[in-house]
Each structure stands twice: as structure tokens, then as C-alpha cells.
Amino acid sequence: MLSKQTKTLFLMTTLISITILFSVLFSLDVLKNNNLQPLLDQFIPQGYLGVLMVLSLLALLTSIGLPRQVAAFSCGYIFGIVYGTLLATLAATLGCMLTLFIAKTFFRQRVLDAYPDKVMVLSAFFSTDTFSKALVIRLLPAGSNFLTNILAGMAKVKFIPYVTGTCVGFIPQMLIFSLLGAGIKVGEEQQILLSLSLLVVALIFGYLLYKKEKKRNKKGAV
């Protein structure tokens, strides 16, 4: 039997996901009909206020599950490649910090009380090489940014190394989707090649971390 808190969280997540889905579909329809620029001119202020508004909105949306690729595409369309990549990376990183804070503050103790062993496993995983592990996870071309942040918030994660590794790991995909948003044509073959390259890099880092962890465990057993 599901608890009241679990049902509420599930309902909130479902509603948020539906809202994000409709927002993305609406954006795609507007893009297809080339009607986006007038809307941007109407709703986004010029100058630093507009930048702050977009940054705050995307940080909030990524914190509740908006894919970082959508944020990067949007920033690339609005601000161009360089500024789009930087702003999208910053927005996704701020969203990560917000999700991490909420999970740690409001949900960690409840999950810890219910599943202490699983939380201890997560905490042990993130207790060493936190920066490198966060970097590897973010370099993977697939995976849920939102779910990863929730799990990290449940664990006793080192905040600065985790956020720093997350930020650095975001950059490659943010650059790719900012390019697409800015109108630079990236062919399907090129996208696949870039995704495979990121996967290979992540696997190499993962293997090195595995060897390091194995070596550390051997020393501890001696």
C-alpha cells in the first residue's frame, strides 16, 4: 500500500511531466511555423533582465525534470552558440543544485528511515571520487538528470565536487544542442558519432574509476 506522501509525490511528478510535455510540443509547433521570434520579443525583456528571466525559468524547469537538451536548444535559439551553451549549462547546474537541496532537505530523512541500507549504498558510492563519478554520469548521452539529482540528494554526497563534476559533464551535450538551436545543421550521422564519442569517454573514465576502487578495496582488505 502506497503512503500518502508517495501518492502525492507521484501525482506531482505526473502533472509536472505532462506540463513539460505539452510545453515542448507547443514549442516545436511554434518553431515549425516560424512564429517563435514574435513571441520571444513580446514576453522576454531585452538586456540583462531577459537573460536573468530565461536563466531563472530554465533553472526551475530543469530542477523538476525538463531535459537539459531542451534547455540548451532554447538557449542556442535565443542567445546563439557561445552564450547559449554557457547559459544552458549554468541553468542546468542551478537546477541540479535546487533538486539536490529539495531532495536532501525534505525527502532524505524519510527515505533513510524506510530504506537505510539502500541509502548507505548510495552514500558509499558517492563518498569517493565524487567529481569523477558525477562527470561520468553526465557524459553519458542517455539518462535522467532529474532522477540522478534525486538519488544524489538522498545520499550523503559531497556538494561542491558533485556540482562541479555535473557542470563540466553537461558542457558537451549543451554545446551540441545549442548548435542545433542556433540553426547550425548537425547531421544524424554526426549526432550519433558525437553521442558514441561521449559514451566511449564515459566508459573509459568509468573503467579507470573501477580499477581505482578495486585497488582501494584490496588495500583496505590487507
Side-chain angles (χ1 to χ4, degrees), residues 3-193:
S3 66
K4 185 178 179 180
Q5 293 87 350
T6 303
K7 290 179 180 178
T8 303
L9 181 60
F10 177 76
L11 180 61
M12 288 176 60
T13 304
T14 302
L15 290 174
I16 289 168
S17 301
I18 292 172
T19 302
I20 290 172
L21 177 61
F22 276 104
S23 299
V24 172
L25 290 175
F26 173 75
S27 299
L28 290 174
D29 182 64
V30 171
L31 274 173
K32 187 171 67 176
N33 293 289
N34 297 317
N35 294 325
L36 186 56
Q37 195 58 50
L39 286 176
L40 293 176
D41 294 337
Q42 183 178 356
F43 291 107
I44 299 178
Q46 297 295 316
Y48 292 110
L49 182 60
V51 173
L52 183 60
M53 177 181 170
V54 172
L55 179 65
S56 302
L57 179 62
L58 288 178
L60 178 61
L61 289 175
T62 54
S63 75
I64 58 174
L66 180 75
R68 59 184 184 269
Q69 294 87 347
V70 175
F73 185 92
S74 303
C75 285
Y77 183 89
I78 300 170
F79 300 108
I81 299 168
V82 177
Y83 290 113
T85 301
L86 292 175
L87 284 171
T89 303
L90 180 57
T93 303
L94 290 173
C96 161
M97 294 167 64
L98 183 58
T99 307
L100 202 66
F101 173 76
I102 291 173
K104 188 180 291 289
T105 303
F106 296 102
F107 299 108
R108 184 177 189 275
Q109 192 57 51
R110 293 178 183 177
V111 176
L112 183 60
D113 293 339
Y115 308 102
D117 294 338
K118 294 182 180 180
V119 174
M120 284 181 65
V121 170
L122 276 174
S123 298
F125 173 78
F126 282 113
S127 64
T128 58
D129 302 309
T130 307
F131 172 89
S132 300
K133 288 174 181 176
L135 177 64
V136 169
I137 292 171
R138 303 311 185 180
L139 285 175
L140 291 171
S144 171
N145 179 44
F146 177 70
L147 181 58
T148 302
N149 293 331
I150 290 290
L151 292 175
M154 300 300 178
K156 194 175 181 181
V157 68
K158 297 175 183 176
F159 184 78
I160 293 178
Y162 177 79
V163 171
T164 307
T166 289
C167 181
V168 175
F170 277 160
I171 294 173
Q173 279 199 20
M174 293 308 195
L175 176 59
I176 294 169
F177 283 89
S178 291
L179 284 168
L180 293 172
I184 305 298
K185 290 186 178 180
V186 181
E188 186 177 345
E189 291 182 1
Q190 292 172 304
Q191 292 183 49
I192 294 173
L193 182 61

